[in-house]
Coordinates of all heavy atoms in Angstrom, one line a residue:
M1 N 9.4 -12.8 -2.1 CA 8.7 -11.8 -2.7 C 7.6 -11.2 -1.8 O 6.9 -11.7 -1.3 CB 7.9 -12.5 -3.9 CG 7.1 -11.5 -4.7 SD 7.7 -11.3 -6.4 CE 6.7 -9.9 -6.8
E2 N 7.7 -9.8 -1.9 CA 6.7 -9.1 -1.0 C 5.3 -9.1 -1.6 O 5.2 -9.1 -2.8 CB 7.2 -7.6 -0.9 CG 8.4 -7.5 0.0 CD 8.8 -5.9 0.2 OE1 9.2 -5.5 -1.0 OE2 8.9 -5.4 1.1
K3 N 4.3 -9.1 -0.7 CA 2.9 -9.0 -1.3 C 2.4 -7.7 -0.9 O 2.9 -6.9 -0.1 CB 2.2 -10.0 -0.4 CG 2.7 -11.5 -0.8 CD 1.8 -12.5 0.0 CE 2.4 -12.7 1.4 NZ 1.8 -13.7 2.0
A4 N 1.3 -7.2 -1.6 CA 0.6 -6.2 -1.4 C -0.8 -6.4 -1.2 O -1.4 -7.2 -1.7 CB 0.8 -5.2 -2.6
C5 N -1.4 -5.6 -0.1 CA -2.8 -5.7 0.1 C -3.7 -5.2 -1.0 O -3.4 -4.1 -1.5 CB -3.1 -4.9 1.5 SG -4.9 -4.8 2.0
R6 N -4.7 -6.1 -1.4 CA -5.6 -5.5 -2.5 C -6.4 -4.4 -2.1 O -7.0 -3.7 -2.9 CB -6.4 -6.7 -3.0 CG -5.5 -7.6 -4.0 CD -6.5 -8.4 -4.9 NE -5.9 -9.1 -5.9 CZ -5.6 -10.4 -5.7 NH1 -6.2 -11.1 -4.7 NH2 -4.9 -11.1 -6.7
T7 N -6.7 -4.4 -0.7 CA -7.7 -3.4 -0.3 C -7.2 -2.0 -0.1 O -7.6 -1.0 -0.7 CB -8.3 -3.8 1.0 OG1 -8.8 -5.1 0.9 CG2 -9.3 -2.9 1.5
C8 N -6.0 -2.0 0.6 CA -5.4 -0.6 0.8 C -4.0 -0.3 0.2 O -3.4 0.7 0.3 CB -5.3 -0.3 2.3 SG -4.1 -1.4 3.2
H9 N -3.6 -1.4 -0.4 CA -2.2 -1.3 -1.3 C -1.0 -1.3 -0.4 O 0.1 -1.1 -0.8 CB -2.2 -0.1 -2.2 CG -3.1 -0.2 -3.4 ND1 -3.0 0.5 -4.4 CD2 -4.2 -1.0 -3.6 CE1 -3.8 0.3 -5.3 NE2 -4.7 -0.7 -4.9
K10 N -1.1 -1.5 0.9 CA 0.0 -1.6 1.8 C 0.9 -2.9 1.5 O 0.4 -3.9 1.2 CB -0.5 -1.8 3.3 CG 0.7 -2.0 4.3 CD 1.0 -0.6 4.7 CE 2.1 -0.7 5.9 NZ 3.5 -1.1 5.5
I11 N 2.3 -2.6 1.4 CA 3.2 -3.7 1.1 C 3.5 -4.5 2.4 O 3.8 -3.9 3.5 CB 4.4 -3.2 0.5 CG1 4.0 -2.7 -1.1 CG2 5.4 -4.3 0.3 CD1 5.1 -1.9 -1.7
L12 N 3.2 -5.7 2.3 CA 3.2 -6.6 3.6 C 4.5 -7.4 3.8 O 5.0 -7.9 2.8 CB 2.0 -7.5 3.6 CG 0.7 -6.9 3.1 CD1 -0.3 -8.1 2.9 CD2 0.2 -5.9 4.2
E13 N 4.8 -7.8 5.0 CA 5.8 -8.7 5.3 C 5.1 -10.0 5.7 O 5.7 -11.0 5.7 CB 6.7 -8.2 6.3 CG 7.8 -7.2 5.6 CD 8.5 -6.3 6.5 OE1 8.7 -6.6 7.7 OE2 8.9 -5.2 6.0
G14 N 3.9 -10.0 6.3 CA 3.4 -11.1 6.8 C 2.2 -11.5 5.9 O 2.1 -11.2 4.7
A15 N 1.3 -12.4 6.4 CA 0.3 -13.0 5.7 C -0.9 -12.1 5.5 O -1.7 -12.2 4.6 CB -0.1 -14.5 6.3
S16 N -1.2 -11.3 6.4 CA -2.3 -10.4 6.4 C -1.9 -8.9 6.6 O -0.9 -8.6 7.2 CB -3.5 -10.8 7.4 OG -2.9 -10.6 8.7
C17 N -2.8 -8.1 6.3 CA -2.4 -6.6 6.3 C -2.7 -6.1 7.7 O -3.7 -6.2 8.3 CB -3.6 -5.9 5.3 SG -3.2 -4.2 5.3
P18 N -1.6 -5.4 8.3 CA -1.6 -4.8 9.5 C -2.6 -3.5 9.7 O -2.9 -3.1 10.7 CB -0.2 -4.4 9.7 CG 0.4 -4.2 8.5 CD -0.4 -5.2 7.6
I19 N -2.9 -3.0 8.4 CA -3.7 -1.7 8.6 C -5.2 -2.1 8.4 O -6.1 -1.7 9.3 CB -3.3 -0.8 7.4 CG1 -1.9 -0.3 7.8 CG2 -4.2 0.3 7.2 CD1 -1.3 0.7 6.7
C20 N -5.6 -2.9 7.4 CA -7.2 -3.0 7.2 C -7.4 -4.5 7.7 O -8.6 -4.8 7.7 CB -7.5 -2.8 5.8 SG -6.8 -3.9 4.6
G21 N -6.4 -5.2 8.0 CA -6.7 -6.6 8.4 C -7.1 -7.7 7.4 O -7.5 -8.8 7.7
S22 N -7.1 -7.2 6.1 CA -7.3 -8.0 5.0 C -6.3 -9.1 4.7 O -5.1 -8.8 4.9 CB -7.6 -7.2 3.8 OG -7.9 -8.0 2.6
S23 N -6.7 -10.3 4.4 CA -5.8 -11.3 4.0 C -5.8 -11.5 2.4 O -5.2 -12.5 1.9 CB -5.9 -12.6 4.8 OG -7.2 -13.0 4.5
D24 N -6.5 -10.6 1.7 CA -6.6 -10.5 0.2 C -5.4 -9.9 -0.3 O -5.4 -8.7 -0.4 CB -7.9 -9.9 -0.1 CG -8.2 -10.0 -1.6 OD1 -7.3 -10.7 -2.3 OD2 -8.9 -9.3 -2.2
T25 N -4.4 -10.6 -0.5 CA -3.2 -10.0 -1.0 C -2.6 -10.5 -2.3 O -3.2 -11.5 -2.8 CB -1.9 -10.4 0.2 OG1 -1.7 -11.7 0.1 CG2 -2.3 -9.9 1.4
S26 N -1.6 -9.8 -2.9 CA -1.2 -10.1 -4.2 C 0.3 -9.9 -4.5 O 0.8 -9.0 -3.8 CB -1.9 -9.3 -5.3 OG -1.4 -9.5 -6.5
T27 N 0.9 -10.9 -5.1 CA 2.3 -10.7 -5.5 C 2.5 -9.9 -6.7 O 3.5 -9.6 -7.2 CB 3.1 -12.0 -5.4 OG1 2.5 -12.8 -6.5 CG2 3.2 -12.7 -4.1
D28 N 1.3 -9.7 -7.4 CA 1.4 -9.0 -8.8 C 1.1 -7.6 -8.5 O 0.0 -7.1 -8.8 CB 0.4 -9.6 -9.6 CG 0.5 -9.2 -11.1 OD1 1.4 -8.4 -11.4 OD2 -0.5 -9.5 -12.0
W29 N 2.1 -6.8 -8.2 CA 2.0 -5.3 -8.1 C 3.2 -4.6 -8.7 O 4.1 -5.4 -8.8 CB 1.8 -5.0 -6.4 CG 3.0 -5.4 -5.7 CD1 3.0 -6.7 -5.1 CD2 4.1 -4.8 -5.3 NE1 4.1 -6.7 -4.3 CE2 5.0 -5.6 -4.5 CE3 4.6 -3.6 -5.7 CZ2 6.1 -5.2 -4.0 CZ3 5.9 -3.1 -5.2 CH2 6.6 -4.1 -4.3
S30 N 2.9 -3.3 -8.9 CA 4.1 -2.6 -9.4 C 4.2 -1.2 -9.0 O 3.2 -0.6 -8.7 CB 4.0 -2.7 -11.0 OG 2.9 -2.0 -11.4
G31 N 5.4 -0.8 -8.8 CA 5.8 0.5 -8.3 C 5.3 0.8 -6.8 O 4.5 0.0 -6.4
F32 N 6.1 1.6 -6.2 CA 5.6 1.8 -4.7 C 5.9 3.3 -4.3 O 6.8 3.8 -4.9 CB 6.1 0.8 -3.7 CG 7.6 0.8 -3.6 CD1 8.2 1.7 -2.6 CD2 8.5 0.0 -4.4 CE1 9.6 1.8 -2.4 CE2 9.9 0.1 -4.3 CZ 10.5 1.0 -3.3
V33 N 5.3 3.6 -3.3 CA 5.7 5.0 -2.6 C 5.8 4.6 -1.3 O 5.2 3.8 -0.6 CB 4.5 6.0 -2.8 CG1 4.5 6.5 -4.2 CG2 3.1 5.4 -2.5
V34 N 6.7 5.4 -0.7 CA 6.8 5.4 0.8 C 6.3 6.8 1.4 O 6.6 7.9 1.1 CB 8.3 5.3 1.3 CG1 8.5 5.4 2.7 CG2 9.0 4.0 0.7
I35 N 5.2 6.6 2.2 CA 4.5 7.6 2.8 C 5.1 8.0 4.1 O 5.0 7.0 5.0 CB 3.0 7.5 2.8 CG1 2.5 7.1 1.5 CG2 2.2 8.6 3.4 CD1 2.6 8.3 0.4
I36 N 5.6 9.1 4.4 CA 6.2 9.4 5.8 C 5.1 10.2 6.5 O 4.9 10.0 7.7 CB 7.5 10.2 5.6 CG1 8.6 9.1 5.0 CG2 8.0 10.6 7.0 CD1 9.7 9.9 4.4
D37 N 4.6 11.2 5.8 CA 3.6 12.1 6.5 C 2.5 12.2 5.7 O 2.2 13.0 4.8 CB 4.2 13.5 6.8 CG 3.3 14.4 7.5 OD1 2.2 14.0 7.8 OD2 3.6 15.5 7.8
P38 N 1.4 11.3 5.9 CA 0.1 11.1 5.1 C -0.6 12.5 4.9 O -1.1 12.8 3.9 CB -0.7 10.1 5.8 CG 0.3 9.3 6.6 CD 1.3 10.3 7.0
Q39 N -0.6 13.2 6.1 CA -1.4 14.5 6.0 C -0.8 15.5 5.1 O -1.4 16.3 4.5 CB -1.3 15.2 7.4 CG -1.7 14.2 8.6 CD -2.9 13.4 8.5 OE1 -3.9 13.9 8.0 NE2 -3.0 12.2 9.0
A40 N 0.6 15.4 4.9 CA 1.2 16.4 4.0 C 1.5 15.9 2.6 O 2.0 16.6 1.7 CB 2.5 16.8 4.6
S41 N 1.1 14.6 2.3 CA 1.4 14.0 1.0 C 0.1 14.1 0.1 O -0.9 13.5 0.4 CB 1.9 12.7 1.3 OG 1.9 11.9 0.1
E42 N 0.4 14.6 -1.1 CA -0.7 14.6 -2.1 C -1.0 13.2 -2.6 O -2.1 12.8 -2.8 CB -0.3 15.6 -3.4 CG -0.3 16.9 -3.0 CD -1.6 17.6 -2.6 OE1 -2.7 17.0 -3.2 OE2 -1.7 18.3 -1.8
I43 N 0.1 12.4 -2.7 CA 0.0 11.0 -3.1 C -0.9 10.2 -2.1 O -1.7 9.4 -2.5 CB 1.3 10.3 -3.4 CG1 2.1 11.0 -4.4 CG2 1.1 8.8 -3.7 CD1 3.6 10.7 -4.5
A44 N -0.6 10.4 -0.8 CA -1.4 9.7 0.1 C -2.9 10.1 0.1 O -3.8 9.2 0.3 CB -0.8 10.2 1.6
K45 N -3.1 11.4 -0.2 CA -4.5 11.8 -0.3 C -5.1 11.1 -1.5 O -6.3 10.7 -1.5 CB -4.6 13.4 -0.5 CG -4.6 14.1 0.9 CD -4.5 15.5 0.7 CE -3.9 16.3 1.7 NZ -3.3 17.5 1.3
K46 N -4.4 11.0 -2.6 CA -4.9 10.4 -3.8 C -5.2 8.8 -3.5 O -6.2 8.4 -4.1 CB -3.9 10.6 -4.8 CG -4.4 10.6 -6.3 CD -3.5 11.1 -7.3 CE -3.8 10.7 -8.7 NZ -2.8 10.9 -9.6
L47 N -4.3 8.3 -2.8 CA -4.4 6.9 -2.7 C -5.3 6.5 -1.4 O -5.5 5.4 -1.0 CB -3.1 6.1 -2.5 CG -2.3 6.2 -3.7 CD1 -0.9 5.6 -3.4 CD2 -2.8 5.5 -4.9
E48 N -5.8 7.7 -0.6 CA -6.5 7.4 0.5 C -5.9 6.7 1.6 O -6.3 5.8 2.2 CB -7.8 6.9 0.3 CG -8.7 7.8 -0.7 CD -10.1 7.1 -1.1 OE1 -10.5 6.0 -0.5 OE2 -10.8 7.7 -1.9
I49 N -4.6 7.1 1.8 CA -3.6 6.5 2.8 C -3.6 7.4 4.0 O -3.5 8.6 4.0 CB -2.3 6.5 2.4 CG1 -2.3 5.3 1.2 CG2 -1.2 6.0 3.3 CD1 -1.0 5.3 0.3
D50 N -3.9 6.8 5.2 CA -4.0 7.5 6.5 C -2.8 7.3 7.4 O -2.5 8.0 8.2 CB -5.2 7.0 7.4 CG -6.5 7.4 6.5 OD1 -6.6 8.5 6.0 OD2 -7.5 6.7 6.7
L51 N -2.0 6.2 7.1 CA -0.9 5.8 8.0 C 0.4 5.7 7.2 O 0.4 5.4 6.0 CB -1.2 4.5 8.6 CG -2.4 4.3 9.6 CD1 -2.7 2.9 9.8 CD2 -2.1 5.1 10.9
P52 N 1.5 6.1 7.9 CA 2.8 6.0 7.1 C 3.2 4.6 6.7 O 2.7 3.7 7.3 CB 3.8 6.6 8.1 CG 2.9 7.3 9.1 CD 1.7 6.6 9.2
G53 N 3.9 4.5 5.7 CA 4.4 3.1 5.4 C 4.7 3.1 3.8 O 4.6 4.1 3.1
K54 N 4.9 1.8 3.3 CA 5.3 1.7 2.0 C 4.1 1.0 1.2 O 3.5 0.0 1.7 CB 6.4 0.6 2.0 CG 7.0 0.4 0.6 CD 8.3 -0.5 0.9 CE 8.9 -1.1 -0.4 NZ 9.9 -2.0 -0.1
Y55 N 3.7 1.6 0.1 CA 2.4 1.3 -0.5 C 2.7 0.9 -2.0 O 3.5 1.7 -2.6 CB 1.3 2.3 -0.4 CG 0.9 2.6 1.0 CD1 1.5 3.3 1.8 CD2 -0.3 1.9 1.5 CE1 1.2 3.6 3.2 CE2 -0.7 2.1 2.8 CZ 0.1 2.9 3.6 OH -0.3 3.1 5.0
A56 N 2.0 0.0 -2.6 CA 2.1 -0.2 -4.0 C 1.3 0.7 -4.7 O 0.2 1.1 -4.3 CB 1.6 -1.7 -4.3
L57 N 1.7 1.2 -5.9 CA 1.0 2.1 -6.8 C -0.1 1.2 -7.4 O -1.3 1.8 -7.6 CB 1.7 2.6 -7.8 CG 2.7 3.8 -7.1 CD1 3.6 4.5 -8.2 CD2 2.0 4.8 -6.5
R58 N 0.1 0.1 -8.0 CA -0.9 -0.7 -8.7 C -0.7 -2.2 -8.1 O 0.3 -2.7 -8.0 CB -0.5 -0.9 -10.2 CG -0.9 0.4 -10.9 CD -0.7 0.3 -12.4 NE -0.7 1.6 -13.0 CZ -0.3 1.9 -14.2 NH1 0.2 0.9 -15.0 NH2 -0.4 3.1 -14.7
V59 N -2.0 -2.7 -7.9 CA -2.1 -4.1 -7.4 C -3.1 -4.8 -8.3 O -4.1 -4.3 -8.5 CB -2.6 -4.1 -5.9 CG1 -2.6 -5.6 -5.4 CG2 -1.7 -3.4 -5.0
R60 N -2.7 -5.9 -8.7 CA -3.8 -6.6 -9.5 C -4.3 -7.8 -8.8 O -3.6 -8.3 -7.9 CB -3.0 -7.3 -10.8 CG -2.7 -6.2 -11.8 CD -2.5 -6.6 -13.1 NE -2.0 -5.5 -14.0 CZ -0.8 -5.5 -14.6 NH1 0.0 -6.2 -14.3 NH2 -0.5 -4.4 -15.4
Ligands
ZN1 ZN1 -4.8 -3.5 3.6

């Protein structure tokens, strides 16, 4: 089961977040977006995402 970072919502493969370094993760998340070009993406702006990747929409 994939985990998502509670801080920045990045979906993780490892134990800690490669973007913000947080190890505060959750398996209780739903929906995701794949951000390819954060500068051109309205969703990325809304979620305050600076780097490309796969992000959970909701993390509990
Ligand atoms: Zn993070």
Side-chain angles (χ1 to χ4, degrees):
M1 176 113 190
E2 287 178 300
K3 292 179 278 186
C5 174
R6 281 204 177 99
T7 306
C8 68
H9 289 198
K10 180 86 172 74
I11 293 170
L12 313 172
E13 283 161 26
S16 63
C17 180
I19 291 181
C20 68
S22 174
S23 54
D24 184 12
T25 60
S26 173
T27 53
D28 188 8
W29 56 271
S30 62
F32 68 87
V33 286
V34 176
I35 304 295
I36 293 160
D37 184 355
Q39 314 307 327
S41 168
E42 290 299 322
I43 298 165
K45 277 176 208 157
K46 206 169 164 186
L47 297 177
E48 296 178 8
I49 291 164
D50 296 325
L51 295 168
K54 191 174 163 186
Y55 294 85
L57 290 175
R58 284 187 193 163
V59 184
R60 289 204 183 107

